[in-house]
Amino acid sequence: MDPAERAQAARARVPRIDPYGFERPEDFDYAAYEEFFSMYLVILTKRAIKWSKLLKRSGGVRKSLTDLNRTFPDNVRFRKTAEPCLQKTLYNVLLAYGLHNQGVGYCQGMNFIAGYLILITKNEEESFWLLDALVGRILPDYYSPAMLGLKTDQEVLAELVRMKLPAVAALMDGHGVLWTLLVSRWFICLFVDILPVETVLRIWDCLFNEGSKIIFRVALTLIKQHQEFILEASSVPDICDKFKQITKGDFVTECHTFMQKIFSEPGSLSMTTISRLRESCRAALLAQG
């Protein structure tokens, strides 16, 4: 049977509508799908058996405490075998902060920030107060339930790119790419697990000293330095991949040079401009409901 005949035969076996009710496109590759699903069915069966066993246990599936097990799994000091194990310290800091600031409680991303603070200070109380300075004063509303501050600043970055890097903005608009898709982890994790450790610590020095506009300087520098590379993208997945790649390599590893760049590459970036953009972006978000 030739490829065309196999595809026709597969098309006859695979329904036009997927199991979730979505119509398959006209160019759907039925032969490739049948080949994939024949293997995937084995995986689905194994996972169904595993879930069945888990759910039959007394007490059901236990919830993991915050995100402790997923915090720096490649860091020996956070492993359960470490002595002392910093997972316990991290738990204490996050629990204390949740009780201290009940309007925020705990939000994903805070575990990485608190974890870095613990590694730097080696002190629970100092880590707690530094976390409070970030969440309560420097980055207000980043970690609140609505995350309005975080959403606002992502829109502010979009406006800054339109002003300073219009070709990149045009690429994003042309493909309908939401900036949230590209930079939400940059903002919410403050570049932890995105840029090298030494570079993140230098950025944080400036963050504590000069405030949140440093985040925009870092983001704009990354984008401007790699503008030509980004503009080569021809699809949404390609754009997303390029934004991941620009956070790696010598440019971000050489932290001293990188920090010099963030104060020159973006050009003028006054707090007056940031405040004005925040006000207009916040109003637009609130109007959207």
Side-chain angles (χ1 to χ4, degrees), residues 132-184:
D132 185 51
L134 281 171
V135 176
R137 176 172 56 84
I138 298 173
L139 303 169
D141 286 341
Y142 261 48
Y143 305 96
S144 61
M147 290 184 160
L148 186 57
L150 176 71
K151 294 173 184 175
T152 297
D153 278 3
Q154 289 173 165
E155 293 302 314
V156 170
L157 176 62
E159 293 301 318
L160 289 170
V161 172
R162 286 191 182 94
M163 292 163 54
K164 294 176 177 291
L165 302 163
V168 175
L171 177 73
M172 303 296 150
D173 293 340
H175 287 279
V177 180
L178 297 175
W179 281 94
T180 299
L181 187 66
L182 303 175
V183 301
S184 60

Side-chain angles (χ1 to χ4, degrees), residues 47 66 74 80 96 133 139 144 160 180 193 199 202 244 246-247 254:
R47 293 187 69 80
T66 68
D74 56 347
K80 290 182 179 178
L139 303 169
S144 61
L160 289 170
T180 299
D193 262 11
T199 306
R202 291 287 301 273
K244 287 180 182 177
I246 67 174
T247 60
E254 296 171 3

